Amino acid sequence: MMAAAIRGQGIIYQPEFIVAEALANGELISLSLDHPPLEPGGLYVLFSPDRRLSLKVRAMIDYLVEVFSAEIQE
């Protein structure tokens, strides 16, 4: 998508860290929105139900639940 935007084929909405270099060297310009972007509808973790989760994956899921649950309660 970024390559298409650099070629002038459209507008993209990306996190700044992804397009920072293209912004810095003038390949892209930043646009201001009239309204703030919509909040994401949620965070989803997909995994195969017929496989046992590794401890690392389970720990990451637990961490995400903890962080985003605290954010929602604020």
Side-chain angles (χ1 to χ4, degrees), residues 2-50:
M2 185 167 61
I6 289 172
R7 290 190 305 265
Q9 297 176 328
I11 297 172
I12 58 172
Y13 181 70
Q14 295 289 312
E16 192 169 333
F17 73 90
I18 291 176
V19 296
E21 185 177 332
L23 289 169
N25 65 27
E27 292 179 301
L28 294 175
I29 61 169
S30 181
L31 300 175
S32 296
L33 300 174
D34 291 339
H35 301 283
L38 296 175
E39 291 293 320
L43 177 67
Y44 301 92
V45 178
L46 303 176
F47 55 89
S48 179
D50 60 343

Side-chain angles (χ1 to χ4, degrees), residues 1 3 6 10 16 19-20 28 32 35 42 45-46 56 61-62 64 68-69 73-74:
M1 289 188 335
I6 289 172
E16 192 169 333
V19 296
L28 294 175
S32 296
H35 301 283
V45 178
L46 303 176
K56 289 179 183 180
I61 292 171
D62 293 342
L64 292 171
F68 286 99
S69 293
Q73 293 172 1
E74 289 178 358

